[in-house]
Amino acid sequence: MTALQRPAQRHGPRRASTVWGPVFFLLLPFLAVYLLFFVWPALQTLWLSFTTSGLTETGPWTGLSNFRTLIGDASFWSALGHTVFFAVLTVIPLTAIGMLMAILTRSGGRLRRVAQAVFFIPYVLPVSVATLIWQWVLNPNLGVVNAATGSQIAWFSDPTLAMPAVAAVTVWWTIGFNMLLFLAGLQNIPQETYEAAALDGAQGGQVFRYITWPALWPTTALVLTLQLVGSFKIFSQVYLLTGGGPFDSTRVVLEYMYDTAFTNTDAGYASAIAVAFFVVILLLTLLQNTLLNRGRA
Amino acid sequence: MIASRRSVWMMVLATMALLLMMAVWAAPLLWALITALKPELQAAAQPIVWLPNPVTLENFAAVLTSGNLPRWYANSVVTSLIITAATLILSAMAAYAFSQLTFPGRNALFWFSLAGFMLPFEALLVPLYKLMNNLHAINTLAGIILPQLVSPIAIFVFRQFFDQIPKEFREAAVMDGATELRIMWSVFVPLSANIIWALAIVTFIGAWNNFLWPFIVVNSTEQMTIPVGLTQVQSAYGLRYAQTMAVAILGGLPVILAYLLFQRRVTEGFLSASGLKG
């Protein structure tokens, strides 16, 4: 801030040609940070994926050998499978429940502001706060959920329940953002449309089917796209809740990459995983955009 | 008549569904708060004790006076404030150049700057760690801050906003001999106060909550931020559930307060950041 308040040097009268001084001065700080902490690391990820490097030292170029290993690596494919499973468990609920929340909140009258806050607050919590709370709520012996239902389920250490439990925590934690997008989408539907529909005798289900749903479709498409990519990038909550277990049943791609890089210090192979992961996300986005645009036309 | 009776039923049903969902979403936080207000023995009592008796603040006092929580707070405050201020200044300067100045390659450079949208930050972890290692920034606050200063979204939002400001504003100031920096600071920034606040709060919340990068770059307890430090509490406090919940509540409190105080700005900020609203 002090830099901005300092009286800057004066420039001569403006000419039609480019005055480079201010352009450089205004752009350089951002570009320097962007190149150093973003573009350069991105290029390095690509380059490292062709080497056998460690976390601190850089090893020799090995061409496509990392990628050949990756294709035959059962751990990678199972991690990708777990990631897909997590996406299947979260994308549709986070979209559908988010939409329902927004519709109910909007028609909630006096409850509206409180409801919006209640649904949104988990989203502004740090991931470790959310996971600490849920580890306590779902504690096998002392947790309130098991006490209230009279069960003894070890939610995060049961191989079949661990991933659904992580998914449920994720829905609770992140849905507020989707609700917000749907609320904004609902706000763009003119009230007159509903009034006209009411005059024509349209009822609840019909109003949704013929007015709300089509008018919300652009928002729905946006939420689905953001959510699919978001769900694929899952790492923190699964790492904190299960550590990838039990028996690797919740180990997702980013956790596999993290373990490879920071536990096995195999930076070269981890970079190959990162590159593959990036390609998967890119393909998903493209595929989904194509499908959603076709669905719209 | 039939239609209106039906719609009354719909309203009742919708309200009940809303209340049920609100209860489900509020319950975990409320239970954490109730636990934190209990004496430690009651928190783990069986059968379950539903309400604290007596209500006590001893857990909050205990975690604030012993352990690293105050230190983590300080680290989080310092890093989040610096990240927020620096991100906004860098982005506003770049966005001003992209919006108001004409120079060859402007559009190409703008899209190049936005390309950061496409790349998941997670893919950069390994080279960033190596870079920080070379810069001797592992386990430092600078190491936490530096990679978090890039925000293509902020540039995009600022530029959209600056584009809407009539060209005459800048031209008149240029005639008066003002420098670009001064024009930006005394004309464009005041006009954008709303969007700056919205972006500032969202950037701050994002920086405060960032887990992955500080978790990678810091492993000494001294330099941890709140979200990373909280992962230590289960080993630190062991089976003291009431204290653990007190820590969780205190860890979430600053962002909850920021949201409740600036609800409209936060909403606006998150919507601008998603590209839905300029």
Side-chain angles (χ1 to χ4, degrees):
Chain A
M1 269 195 215
T2 48
L4 283 175
Q5 279 159 342
R6 210 186 301 138
Q9 71 275 31
R10 303 184 132 251
H11 291 281
R14 234 86 314 224
R15 278 163 289 128
S17 65
T18 308
V19 186
W20 283 105
V23 173
F24 279 128
F25 180 78
L26 290 166
L27 280 178
L28 269 186
F30 166 76
L31 281 180
V33 173
Y34 185 57
L35 288 173
L36 188 57
F37 298 113
F38 212 94
V39 178
W40 169 243
L43 295 174
Q44 251 205 323
T45 299
L46 190 60
W47 180 69
L48 284 171
S49 70
F50 296 113
T51 67
T52 51
S53 297
L55 207 46
T56 48
E57 79 289 345
T58 300
W61 179 274
T62 50
L64 287 171
S65 125
N66 281 333
F67 290 97
R68 268 195 291 270
T69 314
L70 194 65
I71 285 174
D73 182 354
S75 300
F76 172 72
W77 292 108
S78 93
L80 190 61
H82 299 148
T83 312
V84 171
F85 183 42
F86 177 79
V88 168
L89 288 173
T90 49
V91 173
I92 301 293
L94 273 166
T95 310
I97 301 174
M99 184 193 282
L100 179 67
M101 257 178 185
I103 291 172
L104 292 178
T105 299
R106 198 172 151 76
S107 60
R110 263 176 294 176
L111 284 172
R112 193 165 156 180
R113 289 201 59 184
V114 188
Q116 193 179 333
V118 165
F119 295 142
F120 195 74
I121 279 174
Y123 181 71
V124 299
L125 294 177
V127 60
S128 36
V129 170
T131 54
L132 275 182
I133 290 175
W134 278 93
Q135 274 167 338
W136 172 232
V137 168
L138 294 181
N139 185 294
N141 304 314
L142 305 166
V144 65
V145 168
N146 280 356
T149 56
S151 53
Q152 289 275 312
I153 301 169
W155 296 90
F156 297 118
S157 33
D158 180 308
T160 50
L161 283 175
M163 194 58 109
V166 173
V169 173
T170 306
V171 169
W172 177 82
W173 179 41
T174 62
I175 200 160
F177 182 65
N178 292 351
M179 176 208 61
L180 201 64
L181 295 184
F182 279 118
L183 273 178
L186 285 172
Q187 211 136 34
N188 291 334
I189 308 176
Q191 199 55 43
E192 294 85 60
T193 321
Y194 286 110
E195 283 159 15
L199 281 178
D200 291 344
Q203 266 130 32
Q206 288 172 313
V207 173
F208 178 77
R209 167 86 178 74
Y210 293 107
I211 299 175
T212 314
W213 173 258
L216 269 187
W217 178 248
T219 313
T220 312
L222 175 78
V223 171
L224 279 172
T225 308
L226 292 176
Q227 193 55 62
L228 185 68
V229 173
S231 287
F232 257 76
K233 287 206 241 173
I234 183 195
F235 170 71
S236 308
Q237 65 268 46
V238 82
Y239 180 81
L240 293 174
L241 288 170
T242 69
F247 314 115
D248 285 350
S249 64
T250 58
R251 184 146 88 154
V252 288
V253 173
L254 282 180
E255 177 154 5
Y256 186 45
M257 185 195 85
Y258 170 83
D259 290 341
T260 308
F262 297 99
T263 310
N264 304 342
T265 67
D266 189 349
Y269 194 53
S271 298
I273 299 172
V275 170
F277 181 65
F278 174 60
V279 171
V280 168
I281 285 200
L282 204 64
L283 287 176
L284 273 177
T285 316
L286 290 177
L287 181 76
Q288 201 180 23
N289 277 341
T290 319
L291 287 177
L292 291 176
N293 284 336
R294 188 180 297 163
R296 214 174 152 186
Chain B
M1 204 53 203
I2 290 170
S4 79
R5 189 180 297 162
R6 205 188 184 122
S7 67
V8 167
W9 269 111
M10 287 283 295
M11 281 282 287
V12 172
L13 213 68
T15 310
M16 277 169 60
L18 181 62
L19 284 171
L20 182 72
M21 280 174 114
M22 285 167 72
V24 172
W25 252 258
L29 274 174
L30 284 179
W31 187 243
L33 185 62
I34 287 171
T35 306
L37 293 172
K38 283 177 185 171
E40 195 63 67
L41 278 175
Q42 249 171 47
Q46 272 194 316
I48 218 156
V49 179
W50 290 100
L51 287 174
N53 179 31
V55 170
T56 172
L57 292 175
E58 65 185 29
N59 302 306
F60 291 98
V63 296
L64 281 173
T65 50
S66 69
N68 290 303
L69 195 62
R71 175 80 201 217
W72 298 335
Y73 260 119
N75 291 340
S76 275
V77 169
V78 169
T79 53
S80 306
L81 283 179
I82 294 179
I83 289 168
T84 306
T87 303
L88 290 192
I89 291 171
L90 293 184
S91 315
M93 284 168 72
Y96 180 87
F98 286 130
S99 167
Q100 298 295 315
L101 306 181
T102 46
F103 54 93
R106 183 177 71 165
N107 282 335
L109 203 56
F110 178 63
W111 290 113
F112 171 70
S113 303
L114 289 193
F117 268 137
M118 293 293 298
L119 221 60
F121 179 79
E122 291 82 356
L124 309 180
L125 287 179
V126 171
L128 277 176
Y129 182 88
K130 285 170 93 83
L131 181 63
M132 290 302 148
N133 192 42
N134 292 337
L135 295 174
H136 303 288
I138 303 287
N139 273 324
T140 66
L141 295 189
I144 296 176
I145 293 169
L146 285 171
Q148 294 194 62
L149 302 180
V150 179
S151 175
I153 292 164
I155 292 194
F156 185 75
V157 173
F158 267 130
R159 185 194 159 149
Q160 257 188 331
F161 204 86
F162 290 164
D163 277 349
Q164 292 163 7
I165 297 174
K167 295 277 176 230
E168 290 76 25
F169 279 68
R170 173 174 168 269
E171 280 158 16
V174 168
M175 295 294 267
D176 292 343
T179 61
E180 300 293 354
L181 201 59
R182 174 140 303 281
I183 300 173
M184 183 186 118
W185 183 246
S186 41
V187 180
F188 283 71
V189 165
L191 286 172
S192 328
N194 282 335
I195 196 71
I196 290 177
W197 272 112
L199 281 176
I201 293 166
V202 170
T203 310
F204 183 86
I205 292 178
W208 183 279
N209 284 347
N210 192 343
F211 170 77
L212 186 57
W213 177 246
F215 173 69
I216 299 277
V217 80
V218 164
N219 54 43
S220 90
T221 324
E222 292 279 285
Q223 305 294 358
M224 285 177 180
T225 56
I226 288 274
V228 182
L230 290 189
T231 63
Q232 308 287 306
V233 300
Q234 278 198 320
S235 44
Y237 298 103
L239 298 179
R240 276 180 273 176
Y241 297 105
Q243 285 194 11
T244 305
M245 285 306 106
V247 169
I249 300 274
L250 288 173
L253 202 58
V255 268
I256 294 181
L257 286 180
Y259 171 69
L260 291 177
L261 286 174
F262 308 108
Q263 204 169 347
R264 186 167 297 165
R265 296 231 190 274
V266 176
T267 309
E268 200 183 323
F270 275 110
L271 288 179
S272 335
S274 72
L276 263 192
K277 201 175 153 204

